[in-house]
Amino acid sequence: MNRPVTSTDLSDARPTGPRIVLFVEDGSGDWHARRLKRSMEARGATVVTTTLSACAFDTSSPSGLEIPGFEGMLPDGAFVRSVSTGTLEQITFRLGILHALRESGVRVWNDARAIERCVDKSTATFLFRKAGLPTPSTRVVEMRDRAHAHLTAHPRPFVLKPLFGSQGNGVCRVRGPEYLPPPEDVNNVYYMQHYLRAPDATTFEDWRVFVSQGRVLSTMIRRGKTWITNVHQGAEAIAHDPCEEMSSLALAGVAAIGADYAGVDVIRDESGQLMLLEINSNPAWKGLQAVTDVDIADVLAADFLAAVLKAPAR
C-alpha cells in the first residue's frame, strides 16, 4: 500500500497538475493501482491512494465529503480500481460516495452508475438485450421453485451464476432442475443462462476485450482446461487480434452500460455466433498485459487524465 498523502505533499504538488484519488481494494497493494499511480504521476498528477471505506459523508466539511488526503476539499478526478466486498449497507455507502463525487462535478472512472449496472448481472443482461445485442438466453428469478419450473419447461444445460460475482467464482453448470442449489447458496436469486457449448466440447475458450474511451486497447483468448475460462481459475491467456464484428460488439456493450473503460467477455455459441456474456467495470489486466505490447495502465492513465482535464470547471 502506498503511504498516505499529507497536506504538505498536496501543497508541494504542481499547481497545474490535477489532484486524483485512486480507490483500491481494502488491505491490498494492488499491482494494477501501483502502475496506474506511476503513469498518472509521470503526467504531472498528484495521486492519493485510499479506499472507499476510509471516506466519509461529513456535513461540516466544505464539500460534504471527507476523502483522505484532501482535507474536506474535492479531488479533480477519481479512478475506481475497487469498491471492495462488504455488507449491503457498506456497498451502498461506498457507491453513495461515488455518486456524491459525480454530483459534485468530479470526473469518476467508472462512476457508480456503470459499476452498479455491471455488478448486477441481471441489469447488464437486460441492457444488452434492450440495445439489440446478442447475448445468451437468460432468466433471473427469486425462489427455487420458480427456477425449478423454468428448468423443467426448458430441459437443457444452464449456467447458474451469482448475481454479484467475478473471476468465475460461484459459477456452476446445471444439467437439470434437480441440480439447483438451495436458496441460501445463491441468496435466493437464480441467474440462469443457456450453456452455449456443445455437450461433447473438449476445447473451451472465450475472449476478453479490453476497452477504453470507445476503442479496443487489446484482446486475448482465454483458453481453459474446463468450461470455466477465467484466467483467475487457471485458463491460459493468448494474444488475439479481434475481428471487426468482435470489436464492434464489445464497444456496443460498453456503450450500453455507459462505462469509461471495461473488460468485455465474448463467446461463440454452437453455431459460431458471437455472444456478449458480461462486462467488468473494474477489470483486472495482469493476464492480458502478459500477452500484449500495449502498456494498459499507461493508456488508461492518459485517457482518464484527458477526461479529467476536459471536465467542466466546478
Side-chain angles (χ1 to χ4, degrees), residues 20-21 23 75-80 98 101 106-109 304 308:
I20 303 301
V21 60
F23 292 119
D76 297 305
F79 195 105
V80 185
L98 296 181
L101 285 170
V106 176
R107 191 67 168 90
V108 183
W109 268 43
F304 167 63
V308 169

Side-chain angles (χ1 to χ4, degrees), residues 32 62 95 99 125 170 174 226-227 251 259 302:
H32 303 81
L95 290 173
H99 278 299
T125 303
V174 179
T226 70
W227 65 275
L251 293 174

Side-chain angles (χ1 to χ4, degrees), residues 1-313:
M1 181 74 71
N2 299 305
R3 69 176 180 83
V5 173
T6 66
S7 58
T8 301
D9 294 326
L10 293 176
S11 64
D12 289 342
R14 299 184 203 180
T16 56
R19 297 195 303 165
I20 303 301
V21 60
L22 176 57
F23 292 119
V24 299
E25 182 83 16
D26 285 319
S28 170
D30 196 338
W31 178 93
H32 303 81
R34 289 194 296 271
R35 281 153 180 78
L36 284 168
K37 184 176 189 293
R38 182 177 61 206
S39 293
M40 290 182 200
E41 290 177 337
R43 288 170 167 79
T46 299
V47 183
V48 178
T49 303
T50 188
T51 63
L52 281 163
S53 63
C55 299
F57 287 99
D58 188 349
T59 57
S60 67
S61 75
S63 65
L65 296 168
E66 186 63 44
I67 310 296
F70 290 90
E71 299 183 326
M73 305 305 289
L74 292 171
D76 297 305
F79 195 105
V80 185
R81 263 300 302 149
S82 176
V83 175
S84 298
T85 57
T87 64
L88 176 60
E89 290 81 3
Q90 288 174 312
I91 299 300
T92 300
F93 165 78
R94 295 166 193 171
L95 290 173
I97 294 288
L98 296 181
H99 278 299
L101 285 170
R102 182 180 64 83
E103 292 297 327
S104 300
V106 176
R107 191 67 168 90
V108 183
W109 268 43
N110 280 307
D111 71 21
R113 297 167 302 175
I115 293 171
E116 289 164 349
R117 292 166 186 167
C118 289
V119 168
D120 176 2
K121 292 183 178 67
S122 59
T123 297
T125 303
F126 169 79
L127 291 173
F128 298 155
R129 183 55 61 92
K130 189 172 185 293
L133 303 176
T135 192
S137 180
T138 305
R139 183 169 174 82
V140 188
V141 298
E142 290 191 46
M143 307 298 179
R144 190 179 186 277
D145 59 342
R146 296 179 66 199
H148 190 284
H150 178 64
L151 266 61
T152 300
H154 301 83
R156 58 166 295 157
F158 278 77
V159 175
L160 190 70
K161 300 180 180 180
L163 197 62
F164 306 141
S166 62
Q167 299 181 327
N169 296 319
V171 176
C172 63
R173 185 165 46 168
V174 179
R175 300 180 185 276
E178 66 273 20
Y179 295 100
L180 282 170
E184 58 269 21
D185 287 0
V186 292
N187 293 315
N188 213 14
V189 176
Y190 292 82
Y191 180 102
M192 301 167 289
Q193 193 167 71
H194 280 185
Y195 179 74
L196 297 180
R197 294 186 173 95
D200 58 349
T202 56
T203 299
F204 306 100
E205 63 182 32
D206 59 17
W207 293 265
R208 165 58 65 89
V209 185
F210 206 99
V211 171
S212 176
Q213 285 293 77
R215 71 194 189 286
V216 173
L217 299 189
S218 193
T219 303
M220 67 177 174
I221 299 171
R222 303 187 302 183
R223 185 168 295 158
K225 296 178 181 178
T226 70
W227 65 275
I228 299 178
T229 56
N230 298 77
V231 172
H232 182 73
Q233 301 277 9
E236 179 185 9
I238 303 168
H240 181 71
D241 185 16
C243 63
E244 183 177 349
E245 181 187 7
M246 183 179 293
S247 295
S248 296
L249 179 58
L251 293 174
V254 173
I257 293 294
D260 298 299
Y261 77 105
V264 185
D265 294 341
V266 178
I267 193 172
R268 290 192 185 276
D269 66 10
E270 289 184 66
S271 69
Q273 181 183 3
L274 281 171
M275 292 276 187
L276 187 58
L277 280 177
E278 58 188 71
I279 291 181
N280 192 322
S281 60
N282 305 117
W285 63 84
K286 194 171 185 178
L288 178 59
Q289 188 62 75
V291 298
T292 182
D293 293 330
V294 177
D295 188 332
I296 296 173
D298 196 57
V299 176
L300 285 177
D303 285 353
F304 167 63
L305 291 177
V308 169
L309 294 174
K310 290 178 183 176

